[in-house]
Amino acid sequence: GNSVTQMEGPVTLSEEAFLTINCTYTATGYPSLFWYVQYPGEGLQLLLKATKADDKGSNKGFEATYRKETTSFHLEKGSVQVSDSAVYFCALGGNGGYQKVTFGTGTKLQVIP
Amino acid sequence: GAVVSQHPSRVICKSGTSVKIECRSLDFQATTMFWYRQFPKKSLMLMATSNEGSKATYEQGVEKDKFLINHASLTLSTLTVTSAHPEDSSFYICSARALLAGAMDTQYFGPGTRLTVL
């Protein structure tokens, strides 16, 4: 079955530091890959998405590239801000909104001034 | 954008009582909604898939008689936790499938409901 493995947190960074959160997956077929973000006290928000190999999803300075050869979808940001403090979930699913989404365990990011 | 709301945001109940959680799509119609459960420091676990006008499809290991799901309209799905016990305490999140003009077919998530059973 499908599964997602992401690095355990928490990750603590100083403001303006470079961020990488690793994510690898196991799946049959050709899933879409997602990063969701959950800010304190809020629900999940879709951060970015990639639907096929070599696609790069990007949003709010975050990027992730769908690497089929390494089955990875690492999240990166060049310069984090305090406002980026949240829990980040890597996920995979079908291309249709009616299809199941399988989530990783989440990585908590804390950015300190 | 597509907005999904949940009510209540927090609920505390006594053991043995039932609790109903509502999930609404505010500005779009959702033929499919999903219910997830999130344990502390764990990922979201899909509980069931709910299609408007039909019975929900439950994931393996989820008791359908305990977690009653009703998707009576295109904008509302409800999850009722029956005869709640302390181990049912969790964060419950719904999502709704949105087919918006000019946007990709995707799911939008509600803010979640924190259930505490005493």
Side-chain angles (χ1 to χ4, degrees):
Chain A
N2 296 341
S3 68
V4 176
T5 302
Q6 61 183 105
M7 61 190 290
E8 287 191 27
V11 174
T12 302
L13 295 174
S14 298
E15 208 165 18
E16 299 184 3
F18 185 86
L19 169 71
T20 300
I21 301 178
N22 291 335
C23 170
T24 57
Y25 67 91
T26 302
T28 54
Y30 303 95
S32 291
L33 300 175
F34 313 86
W35 277 100
Y36 284 87
V37 58
Q38 187 177 30
Y39 297 102
E42 299 183 16
L44 272 73
Q45 300 174 27
L46 179 63
L47 180 61
L48 54 84
K49 174 180 180 177
T51 59
K52 60 183 188 297
D54 299 326
D55 263 4
K56 177 185 285 188
S58 61
N59 186 24
K60 300 181 180 180
F62 290 89
E63 293 183 339
T65 302
Y66 190 141
R67 301 286 188 199
K68 192 169 185 296
E69 63 277 13
T70 54
T71 61
S72 65
F73 193 56
H74 304 321
L75 182 68
E76 296 182 336
K77 185 174 186 182
S79 176
V80 293
Q81 305 300 313
V82 173
S83 57
D84 294 326
S85 299
V87 180
Y88 292 82
F89 291 91
C90 185
L92 67 82
N95 284 320
Y98 60 91
Q99 294 175 295
K100 298 177 187 178
V101 179
T102 301
F103 288 86
T105 52
T107 301
K108 184 175 182 179
L109 169 65
Q110 184 176 11
V111 180
I112 54 177
Chain B
V3 178
V4 176
S5 71
Q6 283 185 239
H7 178 80
S9 58
R10 290 178 178 272
V11 57
I12 301 173
C13 70
K14 292 182 179 179
S15 186
T17 61
S18 295
V19 174
K20 179 183 285 188
I21 302 169
E22 294 184 347
C23 176
R24 293 183 185 271
S25 55
L26 296 185
D27 49 3
F28 66 98
Q29 293 184 330
T31 54
T32 304
M33 289 185 172
F34 302 84
W35 285 96
Y36 294 84
R37 183 173 177 178
Q38 186 178 22
F39 294 93
K41 300 183 180 181
K42 296 286 187 180
S43 184
L44 281 75
M45 179 191 79
L46 179 65
M47 299 175 66
T49 302
S50 166
N51 290 297
E52 187 265 338
S54 63
K55 290 184 178 180
T57 302
Y58 290 81
E59 295 299 299
Q60 192 173 9
V62 178
E63 298 176 61
K64 62 180 181 182
D65 294 331
K66 180 168 186 61
F67 299 100
L68 301 179
I69 292 172
N70 186 296
H71 193 163
S73 78
L74 288 172
T75 58
L76 173 65
S77 177
T78 60
L79 168 68
T80 301
V81 182
T82 62
S83 187
H85 288 101
E87 57 265 30
D88 299 325
S89 299
S90 193
F91 195 55
Y92 293 88
I93 300 175
C94 73
S95 70
R97 178 193 183 195
L99 286 169
L100 304 177
M104 296 189 74
D105 180 9
T106 191
Q107 291 180 35
Y108 291 87
F109 286 79
T113 297
R114 171 76 59 194
L115 170 63
T116 302
V117 184
L118 302 176

